[in-house]
Amino acid sequence: MVSEITPELVRHLGVLARIQLSDEEVERLTGQLDVIVDNIAKVSQVATPDIPATSHPIALENIFRADEVGETLTREQALSNAPDAADGRFRVTAILGEEQ
Amino acid sequence: MTDLTRLSAAALADKLAAGEVSSVDATQAHLDRIAEVDGDVHAFLHVSDHALAVAADIDRRRAAGESLGALAGVPLAIKDVLVTTDMPSTSGSKILEGYMSPFDATVVARSRAAGLVPLGKTNMDEFAMGSSTEHSAYGPTRNPWDLDRIPGGSGGGSAAAVAAFEAPLALGSDTGGSIRQPAHVTGTVGLKPTYGGVSRYGAIALASSLDQVGPVTRTVLDAGLLHDVIGGHDPHDSTSLAEAWPSFADAAREGARGDVLKGLKVGVIAELPDSGFQPGVSASFRAALATMEAHGAEIVEISAPHFEYGVAAYYLVLPAEASSNLAKFDSVRFGLRVTPHANSTVEEVMAATRDAGFGDEVKRRIILGTYALSAGYYDAYYGSAQKVRTLIQRDFDAAFTQVDVIATPSAPTTAFKLGEKIDDPLQMYLNDVTTIPANLAGVPGISIPSGLAEEDGLPVGIQFLAPAREDARLYRVGAALEAALVDSWGGPLLDRAPVVGTRGGVR
Amino acid sequence: MAKDKLMDFDKALELFEPVLGFEVHVELNTKTKMFSAAGNPAHESNHGAEPNTLVAPVDMGLPGSLPVVNEEAIRSSISLGLALGCSIAPSSRFARKNYFYPDLGKNYQISQYDEPIAFEGRIEVELLDGTIVEVPIERAHMEEDAGKLTHVGGATGRIQGAEYSLVDYNRAGVPLVEIVTKPIFGAEHAAPELAAAYVRTIRDIVISLGISEARMERGNLRCDANVSLRPRAAEGEPAAPLGTRTETKNVNSMRSVERAVRHEIQRQAAILEAGGTITQETRHWHEDTGTTSPGRPKSDADDYRYFPEPDLLPVAPSLELIEELRAALPEPPAVHRRRLKADWGFADIEFRGVVNAGLLAEVEATIAAGASPAAARKWWTGEVLRIANAEGRDASSLVSPADVAALQSLVDAGTLNDKLARQVLEGVIAGEGSPQEVVDARGLAVVSDDGALIAAIDEALAAQPDVLEKIRDGKVQAAGAVIGAVMKAMKGQADAARVRELILERAAQ
């Protein structure tokens, strides 16, 4: 199975993953991922429709906690590692995007 | 008092309990050792500036007649993937340089409560992605057996610290072999518990369905003692198992004493032939099996037909989950922030920060994982990889109806030289071929030293795997073989390690 | 930007058939959040909490943090699913919805994707004229809310032109149930009304279950309205394919839901009639201008890379639990309404007035707080509704049922007369406090001291000396002028009936 890793795809993936990639990085990653994906693509050969997927290695269910207030961070703790904060809130530069 | 650093944790704990030595002295001895050798080994990213104060407190409490845990007063190194309130937690990455967590990882909290004395945070491949610790953003750690060679990864720092006698105990994490493979290349002991056996709360997540925290030590008993402290249910971790565990230290003692090997059925995987391993590694593996047979064990060939897909499945599941787990590093709430220019939008700041803060291997896996999960590719990649997990679990289930434990060499080669495989990611990934299946299936695995490879004199480890929840079995079997091998060697393998520190060097 | 052309509504309905869909998010009022033990800001005890004071590590994605499911939220979600007539999944899982935004603590939202906890339901929605419309429910699933962003530096706090934004993670992790309908056909001219009635019905259900404060103005209940049009098929012809739909967000009241749906129908009809095509997009409702505007299209809007949440285990409710919750369900809305009407003894038209104003839950709660049915109805459909209409807001958002009941009890106790009570109500709505607090602050209580009244009466009589004569002659109504003067002197803070009594006593002396 030939993989479809192209520089355009890598650039698009970089956008999805919010990592700014240089042209050099895109080229290098394209080559490396091409080889890797060719190698790992063989999983689809053996993963036939009759085999169920396992997302949790140990099967558990209904793991809950009681609806009681527990340890919460103080505001100081929450903001303690903030790169920028104002008025008790985290500050970020302008967002371009949909309204909330 | 340098010989304090040569004691096993169990021996040191006995002396502490008997009042023969103080925790302050023991801690000081290890701090001195770190100062002596860590300039060369670089196992530590951060050394605690208040370890002596903690040790003094333990001594004071002991003197006051307080009843303390078995390991109270024993120093402990902590892999930097585990968050600590009193020391930075970087996960080996620049994006978390200087990060101070407001909470302790559960295993750290339990260690403190047991009276262990944290010495510092150890080096690792960035975000635990790697098999050599060469992907640390803070420079590699060097193998105490040969400073030009890798100490394994991702937990090379913890293994090297223990192998260089800078700490008697260390905490590590294992997602695809990150405890077991470093144990193999450094002649130490490492165990990955059954998935859910030890809390992941506070372990900076790599692949949530594969990660486990475990002990890194020089002896099986020491691993059992540490595992007893850190293991067990944690309500903060939904995936942690609720059942009570037996004492692993007791299991190790039982293994060392008794006839555990007699009648033990040991499975050897047909699909992992000797030809896939460095000759000295296979030879050491076969010799260890022969020792077991001499003690009454039966070697059985078993088939695990889907193990060959393990590496491929792993390098789909891990990057996919990691790409999501690492999305939180975005400059907003903590960590590095890079603002490219005055009018940068937050998206530009995020992208520039992640470009600057993540190393190449991390970027590679995030991009790969994003691809594996993206629309149109899920079924072929991530979805298929999750099916391979099912097949590998079935292989294990079938195997364990025939054998009690499965044995493999812990890795294909001995410690390779720094820089040797760094430019070939795929080659690097193949280091994990024997360790990955246990993470995919959730079963426990241990690596103990099996000897030195003839061609290079470097350590080799043998790995044992047991059914899920049968961690105690690994302690029994591991301790039994360890006793037999150490007996045949006339002393622990590490006694034969070159003396680090003759070159001196200060951090 | 040019204003959107709108086609006349009736004409639009002549040419096109509107098809609706709704996604309603309900904030549960559990004590703690969905996946963390931090206090839930949607619980009334946390109202007004300072930013970033209700945050646990997992809510802000701190390294090493992990989610743990709130058991009560599961129960509430199942109850809601049952009340919506849904089947409850024997096993359902959480999934990660991956995207980057500063209000997401982890840059993924834990939600449910292809395994919702409840699915395939239906509810009855009653229109103003009593028609019942059956709305099909596709699914109800659990997820967590995002934090709150405040944009600074732009015009009117909008995101466009903002210099920077501030993030508060209190709301991050609040339990949400998202209710998604199937496409709704056949509403025709009642489409806008149906939209509001649907939201009102959901609101009534969650209030009766006690699982949400359901205050739209606080964001406890949020509605995204999907609208599409398709040309009417001629008789005997098959129906045209479904049109492209738009999704309208930022609809913050039931009044807005109705207006937004009407607006979208008119806007889309104008475009289609002119030969244009509808862009599939998310639009933003503007209450002040009564229009929608396009949201910025997201480049990765559709690739959320869903995968099962590895940190959480499947939810598999036992049959016992489901039956326990089913048995505890309150009666369905229609049955409930019939019972209330009988209990309260209202005439048909009086009861319809309450229902059509969307104030059934409020009147019910006011009665539960101690007021008589007549008084509750009088206040809500009278003064409160009048003020709501004048201000263009939902009546339910102006004042709480508890406050209305307290107000009425002040009137019953004689502390206030009707006129004063209306002043107090205005004060409560303006946020000056509870009724008693407003009375105290403004000094509005009726003066009950006869001495003060007699003094005022004497003064008024001195100014109008012939009144006493007239009363003694049998012209009792002459007292009216004196009462008026006394009330004015007392600034209305007197019980007019008592003043009259005292005047007549005076005359009898």
Side-chain angles (χ1 to χ4, degrees):
Chain A
M1 178 172 161
V2 178
S3 77
E4 307 153 344
I5 310 290
T6 60
E8 291 70 45
L9 175 62
V10 172
R11 254 181 247 282
H12 170 68
L13 295 169
V15 171
L16 280 183
R18 295 296 184 276
I19 304 177
Q20 189 178 81
L21 297 171
S22 68
D23 290 342
E24 185 268 328
E25 276 177 311
V26 169
E27 197 185 311
R28 189 158 37 88
L29 278 170
T30 303
Q32 290 170 338
L33 290 174
D34 202 40
V35 171
I36 294 170
V37 171
D38 268 347
N39 209 277
I40 61 185
K42 61 183 170 182
V43 292
S44 62
Q45 293 162 18
V46 74
T48 50
D50 58 304
I51 316 271
T54 297
S55 56
H56 289 98
I58 310 291
L60 296 170
E61 58 181 26
N62 294 332
I63 307 297
F64 304 134
R65 70 181 158 81
D67 185 28
E68 295 298 332
V69 176
E71 281 167 33
T72 308
L73 298 171
T74 64
R75 175 147 69 183
E76 290 63 46
Q77 285 175 318
L79 293 169
S80 61
N81 290 284
D84 190 18
D87 294 337
R89 286 170 286 182
F90 298 86
R91 181 155 54 186
V92 296
T93 54
I95 303 167
L96 286 183
E98 272 191 43
E99 287 271 7
Q100 292 305 286
Chain B
M1 279 210 253
T2 44
D3 46 29
L4 280 182
T5 64
R6 306 294 296 204
L7 294 173
S8 70
L12 179 57
D14 285 344
K15 285 192 188 297
L16 285 162
E20 284 172 37
V21 73
S22 69
S23 179
V24 166
D25 284 344
T27 302
Q28 185 66 65
H30 287 90
L31 289 170
D32 291 344
R33 177 71 179 161
I34 292 170
E36 187 194 344
V37 306
D38 211 55
D40 290 332
V41 176
H42 193 227
F44 284 87
L45 291 178
H46 180 97
V47 178
S48 170
D49 62 4
H50 51 276
L52 290 171
V54 174
D57 191 58
I58 300 291
D59 288 335
R60 184 188 53 74
R61 286 162 57 196
R62 200 191 299 272
E66 210 177 300
S67 157
L68 300 173
L71 288 175
V74 176
L76 172 76
I78 299 171
K79 185 178 183 182
D80 213 20
V81 76
L82 295 164
V83 298
T84 46
T85 51
D86 61 341
M87 293 180 282
S89 305
T90 70
S91 207
S93 178
K94 274 279 190 261
I95 214 168
L96 277 180
E97 188 165 15
Y99 172 72
M100 295 299 289
S101 172
F103 67 96
D104 273 335
T106 295
V107 296
V108 170
R110 289 181 182 180
S111 298
R112 294 195 212 268
L116 287 157
V117 181
L119 281 173
K121 308 299 287 296
T122 59
N123 199 12
M124 51 185 285
D125 282 301
E126 186 180 0
F127 286 111
M129 299 191 202
S131 311
S132 65
T133 310
E134 292 174 285
H135 291 295
S136 167
Y138 299 98
T141 296
R142 294 163 182 279
N143 193 324
W145 288 78
D146 178 339
L147 295 173
D148 291 330
R149 291 180 185 267
I150 55 107
S154 63
S158 281
V162 156
F165 302 94
E166 296 175 86
L169 300 169
L171 287 172
S173 70
D174 189 311
T175 303
S178 294
I179 286 177
R180 292 162 286 156
Q181 184 255 15
H184 155 87
V185 294
T186 57
T188 56
V189 173
L191 178 133
K192 181 201 83 69
T194 297
Y195 183 83
V198 177
S199 170
R200 290 184 299 117
Y201 186 66
I204 299 175
L206 167 56
S208 314
S209 72
L210 302 168
D211 295 342
Q212 265 296 279
V213 175
V216 173
T217 62
R218 293 193 288 269
T219 70
V220 176
L221 174 59
D222 284 355
L225 286 164
L226 184 52
H227 194 160
D228 285 344
V229 168
I230 61 174
H233 182 247
D234 180 14
H236 283 110
D237 177 356
S238 300
T239 60
S240 78
L241 297 172
E243 49 258 61
W245 298 89
S247 162
F248 299 117
D250 284 350
R253 290 189 188 102
E254 187 193 324
R257 276 195 303 269
D259 280 327
V260 168
L261 297 177
K262 204 186 217 128
L264 184 79
K265 289 206 168 68
V266 181
V268 173
I269 299 171
E271 289 84 2
L272 292 174
D274 288 357
S275 55
F277 298 87
Q278 179 183 326
V281 169
S282 309
S284 180
F285 175 61
R286 292 289 164 191
L289 292 179
T291 302
M292 294 180 85
E293 273 182 302
H295 282 81
E298 190 189 329
I299 311 301
V300 177
E301 191 178 83
I302 53 159
S303 176
H306 300 98
F307 274 31
E308 71 165 282
Y309 297 96
V311 172
Y314 176 81
Y315 282 102
L316 281 166
V317 172
L318 181 147
E321 293 182 9
S323 70
S324 179
N325 284 329
L326 268 61
K328 57 175 61 73
F329 303 103
D330 65 357
S331 87
V332 174
R333 295 162 295 286
F334 47 83
L336 183 71
R337 178 181 289 193
V338 171
T339 306
H341 51 80
N343 297 323
S344 297
T345 62
V346 70
E347 291 201 350
E348 288 168 340
V349 172
M350 285 184 180
T353 299
R354 289 158 68 79
D355 177 44
F358 288 147
D360 287 344
E361 183 63 37
V362 170
K363 286 183 195 169
R364 190 161 32 243
R365 296 200 198 185
I366 288 178
I367 298 294
L368 179 56
T370 305
Y371 178 56
L373 289 174
S374 59
Y377 297 101
Y378 181 97
D379 287 334
Y381 293 130
Y382 187 74
S384 294
Q386 299 285 50
K387 292 186 172 197
V388 171
R389 286 182 96 138
T390 305
L391 294 170
I392 288 177
Q393 275 191 330
R394 289 180 184 176
D395 282 357
F396 272 115
D397 288 344
F400 287 125
T401 62
Q402 301 176 260
V403 299
D404 301 308
V405 292
I406 295 170
T408 76
S410 301
T413 68
T414 54
F416 45 89
K417 281 199 188 284
L418 288 156
E420 194 179 309
K421 299 196 184 179
I422 194 89
D423 291 325
D424 192 341
L426 197 55
Q427 266 307 300
M428 192 70 92
Y429 297 165
L430 291 171
N431 279 303
D432 303 327
V433 62
T434 60
T435 46
I436 274 173
N439 300 85
L440 287 170
V443 303
I446 190 171
S447 175
I448 69 166
S450 62
L452 300 179
E454 209 184 297
E455 59 268 54
D456 52 29
L458 291 168
V460 179
I462 180 169
Q463 173 185 234
F464 293 105
L465 305 167
R469 297 181 171 86
E470 291 300 328
D471 306 46
R473 190 179 302 178
L474 294 178
Y475 282 101
R476 279 194 297 274
V477 172
L481 179 59
E482 176 189 61
L485 289 174
V486 170
D487 189 56
S488 73
W489 297 330
L493 196 67
L494 274 170
D495 284 353
R496 291 186 249 169
V499 180
V500 188
T502 49
R503 294 199 326 208
V506 177
R507 280 200 81 210
Chain C
M1 193 181 71
K3 217 175 148 184
D4 288 318
K5 272 190 150 73
L6 302 177
M7 182 185 288
D8 170 72
F9 183 75
D10 290 326
K11 177 150 185 246
L13 265 290
E14 242 178 80
L15 298 174
F16 301 103
E17 181 195 345
V19 179
L20 305 178
F22 300 105
E23 282 154 31
V24 173
H25 288 84
V26 179
E27 278 188 346
L28 300 180
N29 63 359
T30 51
K31 285 190 276 193
T32 61
K33 295 186 180 181
M34 184 76 225
F35 302 113
S36 84
N40 178 3
H43 186 270
E44 53 177 5
S45 68
N46 292 315
H47 185 55
E50 288 292 304
N52 292 307
T53 55
L54 297 170
V55 177
V58 73
D59 302 325
M60 55 177 288
L62 288 184
S65 59
L66 291 172
V68 185
V69 176
N70 181 340
E71 181 161 35
E72 190 60 34
I74 300 293
R75 293 172 66 96
S76 298
S77 302
I78 294 173
S79 295
L80 180 51
L82 292 171
L84 295 171
C86 291
S87 305
I88 304 299
S91 180
S92 69
R93 287 190 296 186
F94 291 98
R96 291 193 189 176
K97 180 179 181 182
N98 296 284
Y99 64 100
F100 284 80
Y101 212 64
D103 64 357
L104 282 191
K106 306 177 286 297
N107 286 319
Y108 58 85
Q109 178 197 36
I110 302 179
S111 178
Q112 293 189 299
Y113 179 53
D114 52 359
E115 293 177 54
I117 191 164
F119 55 93
E120 291 292 318
R122 70 179 57 77
I123 57 168
E124 288 184 349
V125 175
E126 195 172 328
L127 299 178
L128 294 174
D129 63 0
T131 317
I132 307 279
V133 177
E134 198 177 81
V135 173
I137 305 292
E138 167 92 34
R139 55 188 270 155
H141 71 253
M142 303 177 287
E143 58 184 31
E144 55 177 346
D145 211 342
K148 270 211 181 108
L149 283 164
T150 310
H151 308 300
V152 178
T156 67
R158 291 276 306 281
I159 200 171
Q160 281 80 4
E163 247 180 76
Y164 60 87
S165 300
L166 298 172
V167 197
D168 169 19
Y169 292 99
N170 281 358
R171 199 182 63 181
V174 168
L176 292 178
V177 178
E178 179 176 341
I179 305 168
V180 183
T181 66
K182 296 190 180 181
I184 302 166
F185 302 95
E188 303 297 357
H189 284 78
E193 189 203 323
L194 174 64
Y198 172 72
V199 176
R200 190 171 305 130
T201 306
I202 298 291
R203 186 166 179 272
D204 286 346
I205 289 174
V206 302
I207 288 176
S208 73
L209 287 171
I211 61 174
S212 173
E213 304 306 311
R215 303 185 67 149
M216 281 188 87
E217 70 278 6
R218 285 198 194 155
N220 298 146
L221 196 71
R222 308 199 279 262
C223 177
D224 299 336
N226 294 307
V227 177
S228 72
L229 299 179
R230 62 180 176 183
R232 293 201 179 275
E235 187 121 353
E237 296 266 319
L242 287 175
T244 306
R245 64 180 172 83
T246 62
E247 179 188 38
T248 301
K249 287 181 177 291
N250 196 44
V251 193
N252 296 329
S253 68
M254 286 176 276
R255 178 186 297 267
S256 300
V257 173
E258 187 164 345
R259 293 178 70 204
V261 167
R262 173 178 287 260
H263 175 86
E264 263 308 284
I265 289 172
Q266 294 179 273
R267 188 187 71 85
Q268 291 190 15
I271 292 173
L272 292 172
E273 178 68 347
T277 51
I278 306 298
T279 313
Q280 179 170 352
E281 61 183 352
T282 299
R283 296 182 71 86
H284 187 92
W285 171 252
H286 303 278
E287 183 64 29
D288 48 356
T289 54
T291 58
T292 61
S293 63
R296 185 183 164 88
K298 289 194 268 203
S299 57
D300 48 309
D302 293 317
D303 197 355
Y304 293 117
R305 288 156 279 139
Y306 286 98
F307 66 101
E309 170 58 78
D311 288 328
L312 295 175
L313 286 309
V315 175
S318 67
L319 290 174
E320 288 74 33
L321 173 64
I322 295 174
E323 287 322 303
E324 177 204 323
L325 294 172
R326 194 192 303 277
L329 287 179
E331 46 194 359
V335 174
H336 187 61
R337 277 197 294 275
R338 277 198 289 282
R339 186 174 60 74
L340 289 179
K341 181 160 168 262
D343 285 353
W344 297 343
F346 286 176
D348 245 11
I349 193 168
E350 291 173 330
F351 191 76
R352 276 245 76 78
V354 172
V355 171
N356 290 349
L359 293 169
L360 195 65
E362 283 64 33
V363 168
E364 192 180 352
T366 305
I367 295 167
S372 72
R377 186 183 75 84
K378 183 197 83 170
W379 282 113
W380 281 104
T381 60
E383 238 351 68
V384 180
L385 192 58
R386 183 188 68 75
I387 295 172
N389 287 336
E391 296 188 10
R393 296 161 65 185
D394 287 343
S396 55
S397 70
L398 296 181
V399 63
S400 73
D403 279 344
V404 172
L407 184 66
Q408 181 59 37
S409 68
L410 288 172
V411 173
D412 292 339
T415 309
L416 296 174
N417 56 32
D418 204 62
K419 195 161 165 192
L420 288 173
R422 270 180 268 145
Q423 287 182 48
V424 172
L425 176 66
E426 275 170 31
V428 174
I429 289 175
E432 291 168 31
S434 71
Q436 185 65 58
E437 284 165 355
V438 174
V439 165
D440 292 338
R442 290 200 195 181
L444 286 175
V446 160
V447 171
S448 50
D449 169 23
D450 276 358
L453 292 180
I454 288 169
I457 288 170
D458 282 344
E459 241 189 80
L461 285 175
Q464 302 180 61
D466 50 333
V467 168
L468 279 181
E469 275 289 328
K470 288 184 182 163
I471 293 173
R472 286 175 189 135
D473 276 347
K475 292 198 181 110
V476 179
Q477 57 271 41
V482 178
I483 296 172
V486 169
M487 291 302 286
K488 194 163 167 192
M490 302 294 300
K491 296 194 179 67
Q493 289 175 239
D495 179 6
R498 182 68 186 140
V499 171
R500 189 173 181 280
E501 265 177 21
L502 289 170
I503 294 171
L504 294 180
E505 271 175 34
R506 203 66 167 72
Q509 283 166 0

